[in-house]
Amino acid sequence: MAFLSNKSSVAAALRSHFQKTEDPVSLSRRRLHVEPGAREKALLAEDPILKKYKSNKDGARRVKRLGDVLTIVVVAGCCYEIYVRAVMREEARKQTGTGN
């Protein structure tokens, strides 16, 4: 029972702590939102010169699909090479085994 009363007193202390009005110094110290300055706003503004370098969704989707297709082709080629080598090795064993 003492645990429950202790728990409620902690909750009440936390509630009273967060209900206090907070001054700007404590806001910046706790790293809450602070309005960006002029330099930050200038850096975050869109630059019309760089617009042509931004990818659009269709172009990015095509590049991703091309990468996926190339990955599948490479994996299939590797599997085929492994299969061909295994078959060639098996044929070579059969030829050396029947030649004796």
Side-chain angles (χ1 to χ4, degrees), residues 83-96:
Y83 171 75
V84 167
R85 288 181 187 222
V87 168
M88 295 293 278
R89 185 178 298 151
E90 190 65 30
E91 288 177 5
R93 283 184 192 158
K94 285 181 182 178
Q95 286 179 356
T96 57

Side-chain angles (χ1 to χ4, degrees), residues 58-68:
D58 292 335
R61 190 177 300 136
R62 285 182 190 149
V63 170
K64 183 180 178 209
R65 170 125 344 137
L66 178 67
D68 292 344

Side-chain angles (χ1 to χ4, degrees), residues 4-92:
L4 292 176
S5 65
N6 189 15
K7 187 176 180 183
S8 63
S9 66
V10 170
L14 285 174
R15 260 187 261 120
S16 67
H17 174 71
F18 286 115
Q19 288 176 351
K20 293 179 185 175
T21 58
E22 297 184 359
D23 56 324
V25 174
S26 67
L27 283 175
S28 64
R29 189 177 16 178
R30 291 180 57 204
R31 302 215 183 266
L32 293 177
H33 179 71
V34 177
E35 194 66 30
R39 183 171 186 262
E40 287 86 3
K41 286 181 181 178
L43 288 172
L44 292 173
E46 283 193 33
D47 192 356
I49 295 172
L50 298 176
K51 271 207 179 244
K52 66 179 180 179
Y53 296 109
K54 289 192 176 182
S55 64
N56 55 17
K57 288 184 179 180
D58 292 335
R61 190 177 300 136
R62 285 182 190 149
V63 170
K64 183 180 178 209
R65 170 125 344 137
L66 178 67
D68 292 344
V69 168
L70 286 176
T71 301
I72 291 171
V73 167
V74 168
V75 168
C78 290
C79 291
Y80 178 74
E81 280 292 318
I82 292 170
Y83 171 75
V84 167
R85 288 181 187 222
V87 168
M88 295 293 278
R89 185 178 298 151
E90 190 65 30
E91 288 177 5

